[in-house]
Amino acid sequence: MSMARVRALRSVEIGMNNLAEARRFFTDVWNLAPVGEAAGAQLFRGTGAFHHILAVRAAPQPALIRVTFDAADRATIDGLHAQVKAHGLKTIDPPAALRQPHGDYGFGFKDPEGRNIAVVCGVSDHADAADQPDRPRKLSHVNLNSGNSDATFAYLRDALGFKLTDTTRRLRFFSCNGDHHSIVLGFAGGPTLNHIAFEMPDFESVMRGAGRMRDDGHGIEWGPGRHGPGNNVFCYFLGPEDMPIEYTAEMLQVDDNYRVGTPENWKWPLGRLDHWGISAHPSERMEQAGLRIHFTGGGWRLDDWR
Ligand SMILES: [Fe+2]
C-alpha cells in the first residue's frame, strides 16, 4: 500500500490575551477576513478556498494551540492515523466525525516533541478563491523551533509523508505539495513557535503590507529580502503581543526532481543572509519573540470539534 500523505498546511490556532485587539489587527491591518466563531475561537480566512487559516481564542498569554493539516479523504486520514501510531506516538485519539467548519473527519495527536497537531478532511471550504491584491491567500508555512530536529524530521517524513527539500546550518525545510516548504524546523531550543508565514499574491502586496504594518506601529523586524531555500520574498514583523509573523510571496514550486540542498549549498558570503543582501540580521526582539510561544498542553484534543 502506498504511503498516506497530508496535502496542505491548512490553519493554525493561537491563543491571545487581548482578543478584541487581535481581531482588529488580523482584520484591519493583516487583511484577513473574519468568518465567524466556532468552539470558542474566532476564525479568519485568506482569499484562498480554505474555510479559515487562522483561529484565535482567549488565553492568559500568547500560545500556539494547534497546527492543522489537510488530507484528501477519510481513507487518507485512516492511513495517516495508522502511520502516526506505527511511528510510536502515543498521545493520539482515533479518527472521528467532526463538525463543520473543522471538517467532517479527522484526528488530533502530539508529535514527538509535544506539539499539538490535527489532520482533517472534508472541510466546507469557500467557492470563491481568487487572489486579491494586498490580502493573504493562505498560510505559507509555520516555522517551528526544535530541540530534537532529528526525531521531528523522522516523524514528518514517515508518519505524515513530508519531503525534505533543503537543509541549512540552522533549518530544515519540508514540503507536502508543490510549495518548496510548508513546515520549517529549527535545530535549536525547544518546541516553540518561531513564526507563522502568510502568503501574499505578489511581491507588491508584501511591500504594501509592510507599509500598513508600519502605519499601525509594527516596524519591519527582518527584511525585506529574498530567502535562499524557497526563493521567497519576506518581511517579518511582531504582531499583537509580539506574535512573530511573516508576509511572504513567490514561493518556489518544486516537484520530485528537486535536488535536496545541504548546508554546503547554502553558504552565504560574509554579512549576507539572503539573495538581495540589503537587510541586516533579524532584530533582537524578533529573535526573542521566536522563542517564547509554547504549545498548550491539551491542544491536541479535538473534543470541541466533534
Ligand atoms: Fe518564514
Side-chain angles (χ1 to χ4, degrees), residues 141 143 181 184 195 197 227 232 236 246:
H141 56 275
N143 182 316
H181 56 275
V184 183
H195 64 271
H227 281 310
N232 47 319
Y236 289 79
E246 175 188 0

Side-chain angles (χ1 to χ4, degrees), residues 67-86:
V67 175
T68 299
F69 296 113
D70 190 62
D73 49 35
R74 288 182 173 228
T76 308
I77 293 280
D78 289 340
L80 287 163
H81 183 262
Q83 289 168 193
V84 171
K85 282 195 80 163

Side-chain angles (χ1 to χ4, degrees), residues 13-18 56-65 193 239-244 289 292-296:
E13 181 167 329
I14 58 174
M16 304 230 61
N17 187 254
N18 187 337
V56 187
R57 71 171 61 243
Q61 67 222 8
L64 185 50
I65 295 168
L193 172 67
E241 300 170 44
D242 280 358
M243 182 61 67
R292 70 187 184 92
I293 296 180
H294 295 261
F295 279 86
T296 56

Side-chain angles (χ1 to χ4, degrees), residues 89-132:
L89 296 178
K90 297 199 164 32
T91 309
I92 177 171
D93 273 341
L98 306 177
R99 276 180 292 115
Q100 299 296 349
H102 305 294
D104 65 17
Y105 193 61
F107 67 98
F109 64 100
K110 272 194 180 290
D111 86 356
E113 293 190 80
R115 305 180 187 91
N116 305 317
I117 308 293
V119 186
V120 301
C121 71
V123 183
S124 53
D125 285 334
H126 304 283
D128 59 316
D131 283 348
Q132 293 175 42

